[in-house]
Amino acid sequence: MGGVNRFQTRLPVAAEVRRLRPVRRLGGGRLLRLDGEGTHPLVDFSSNDYLALAEHPALITASRRCLEQLGAGAGAARLMSGDLELFHTLETEVACLKGREAALVFGSGYLANLGVIPALVGRDDVIFCDRLNHASIYDGCRLAGARLMRFRHNDPEHLEDCLKTRRGAGAALIVVESIYSMDGDLAPLRDLVALKNRYDCLLMVDEAHATGLYGENGGGVIQAEGLALEVDVALGTFGKALGSYGAFVAGSRGLVELLVNRARSFIYSTALPPAVAGASLAAVRLVRRQPALRADLHRKVALFKAALHGQGITTDLGPSQIIPLMVGESGRAMELAAALGQRGIFATAVRPPTVPHGTARLRFSITRHHTEDVLRDAAAHIGELARQSLVQK
Ligand SMILES: *Cc1c(COP(=O)(O)O)cnc(C)c1O
C-alpha cells in the first residue's frame, strides 16, 4: 500500500505538475466537472470539435453501422489482414477533399507525425521546423535523426537565412502547421512554397486545426490558398473539426507508397476500429457537401471577436477559431480560468513550457455549439474580469 513514490523525482516542478480533471459531457458543448471544482454545467471553450460533428447523427449512424457490420476492432495492421475496404473508401474521399492523388490513414495525428517525418528524411538530411510546431512534429523529427534547424515562428526571412547556411547536400524538409494550435495564427504558406522551391526542399504542412474549416470543400488553408499541388505532404486529423478520431496524410501516389513501406507507426500498429473509420468517412462527406457548417462557425467566431472588442479587449485575437486571450503571468492565467469557471465558462490556461515565459494565456476555441447568447455572455464576463485587470486590454 502506498509507500515511497519512486517516480517523484521524475515529475516536473510542483507548479508545472498537471492533473487529470474528469468531466461528464452533457451534450450541446456543455460539461460537468467531476473533480469537485464546481457543481454547475460549464460551456466548453476548450474543445476542438469545432463543427460539433462528434454528436452529429450522420456520424453516429455511420459509426454504428460499421460497428455492427464489421465488428469492434480491425483485428490486425493494414499490411496484415486489417486492410478493410472501408479504409480505401475513406482514403479516396480524403484525397478528393485535399485535391490530391492519394491519401493514407493513420491511427492518430501524433502517430502520423511520428511515422511520416522519419520516412521522409534521415541522418544525412536536415529538417527546418517552425519553433512553435506541435510536440508530435518534434517527436517525429527526433525519431528521424536528421539535423534539426528551428526557425522563428512564422518568419520566412529567418527560414531563408537558415536555408542559406544550413541547407546542405542531403534532402531537406520544411515542416509547419497551417493554423497554430495555441495562437490560432496562420502560416505564410505562399512564402514557404516559394522558399521550398528555391532551395529544393520538401514542404510538409500539418492542418490539424484547419481541416474541415477552411477552403472551398473544407480542404484546409492549403486549399483556401490554392496551394494543394505545391505542398508535398499534407497532414490532417479526424479528431478535431471532423469529430471522430485518427488522421491522414495526403499527397502524391509516390508519397503514399513510401509511407506504406517506411512509416513505422503505420506498419506496426493495428488499423483503426471500423466504427471510427466509418465516423470519419461520414464527417469528410459532410464537410465536403455542407459548406454551411463552416460558414456557421466562422460567423460565430466573428461575433465573439466583435463582442470582445466591444468589451474593450484590444489585444490581437488572431484570424481563426482559436482565440488567445493574453494574460502574462502563469498564476494570473490560472486565476482567470478559475474566475471564468465560477461564471460557467470552461477555458484552459496555456502556460509555460507550452508557451514562452510571460505569455500565459487563456485559449478559447469556438464551436458550432456556442449560441450567440452564450458568446455574448462569455465576452461580457471576460470584459468584466478585464476591468478588474485580470486580462490584458
Ligand atoms: C492535435 C494535433 C496533432 C495530434 O493529432 P491527434 O489526432 O490528436 O493525435 C498533431 N499536430 C497538431 C498540429 C495538432 O494540433
Side-chain angles (χ1 to χ4, degrees), residues 108-110 113 134 136 177 181 206 208-209 235 237 240 245-247:
S108 70
Y110 185 84
N113 275 320
H134 192 260
S136 58
E177 297 177 27
S181 56
D206 182 336
H209 291 275
L235 186 147
T237 60
K240 289 170 179 160
Y245 188 71

Side-chain angles (χ1 to χ4, degrees), residues 98-100 222-223 225-232:
K98 300 295 288 184
R100 294 308 308 257
I222 297 172
Q223 182 179 74
E225 297 278 324
L227 297 172
L229 297 174
E230 307 281 347
V231 173
D232 302 285

Side-chain angles (χ1 to χ4, degrees), residues 117-198:
I117 298 172
L120 298 171
V121 287
R123 209 169 291 166
D124 301 326
D125 307 322
V126 56
I127 302 170
F128 298 90
C129 191
D130 186 288
R131 275 211 186 134
L132 293 193
N133 274 343
H134 192 260
S136 58
I137 295 175
Y138 277 101
D139 291 355
C141 292
R142 212 172 297 163
L143 273 178
R147 201 147 47 88
L148 181 64
M149 296 295 308
R150 299 168 58 191
F151 62 92
R152 283 198 286 272
H153 175 56
N154 273 352
D155 187 342
E157 280 177 27
H158 187 228
L159 171 59
E160 180 152 28
D161 289 344
C162 296
L163 285 164
K164 273 181 187 151
T165 56
R166 304 298 177 88
R167 166 67 184 80
L173 172 69
I174 301 170
V175 194
V176 297
E177 297 177 27
S178 61
I179 291 183
Y180 283 84
S181 56
M182 291 300 142
D183 291 280
D185 53 347
L186 282 163
L189 289 185
R190 291 187 167 278
D191 296 340
L192 296 169
V193 164
L195 286 174
K196 86 116 196 171
N197 286 330
R198 194 171 314 146

Side-chain angles (χ1 to χ4, degrees), residues 68-93:
E68 282 166 1
Q69 290 176 356
L70 302 170
R78 295 275 298 277
L79 285 169
M80 307 295 281
S81 61
D83 193 20
L84 304 175
E85 186 185 15
L86 174 62
F87 295 119
H88 292 267
T89 310
L90 177 56
E91 285 163 352
T92 303
E93 198 83 23

Side-chain angles (χ1 to χ4, degrees), residues 44-51 132 134 153 177-187 206-211 213-214 221 237 240-241 297-302 304-305 308-309 315-326 347-350 354-355 361-368 370 375 382:
D44 187 359
F45 277 95
S46 65
S47 165
N48 301 317
D49 183 19
Y50 303 114
L51 296 178
L132 293 193
H134 192 260
H153 175 56
E177 297 177 27
S178 61
I179 291 183
Y180 283 84
S181 56
M182 291 300 142
D183 291 280
D185 53 347
L186 282 163
D206 182 336
E207 296 227 81
H209 291 275
T211 302
L213 300 182
Y214 298 89
V221 175
T237 60
K240 289 170 179 160
L297 176 72
H298 295 310
R299 200 172 45 76
K300 287 175 168 170
V301 169
F304 186 58
K305 287 177 185 170
L308 286 173
H309 287 142
T315 54
D316 185 4
L317 301 175
S320 74
Q321 79 284 0
I322 298 168
I323 302 175
L325 201 64
M326 285 300 167
T348 35
V350 185
T354 307
V355 292
R361 81 268 325 251
L362 255 67
R363 176 187 180 278
F364 288 82
S365 54
I366 307 306
T367 77
R368 282 186 56 247
H370 298 135
L375 293 171
I382 292 163

Side-chain angles (χ1 to χ4, degrees), residues 15-72:
E16 284 174 12
V17 170
R18 300 166 197 222
R19 296 212 159 75
L20 291 170
R21 301 184 296 179
V23 298
R24 179 178 303 145
R25 292 205 168 280
L26 303 175
R30 291 171 326 129
L31 52 83
L32 198 60
R33 285 179 70 166
L34 303 178
D35 58 358
E37 299 278 324
T39 51
H40 48 282
L42 302 174
V43 180
D44 187 359
F45 277 95
S46 65
S47 165
N48 301 317
D49 183 19
Y50 303 114
L51 296 178
L53 294 188
E55 289 170 21
H56 196 289
L59 273 75
I60 292 171
T61 305
S63 189
R64 185 180 291 137
R65 193 177 306 133
C66 288
L67 174 69
E68 282 166 1
Q69 290 176 356
L70 302 170

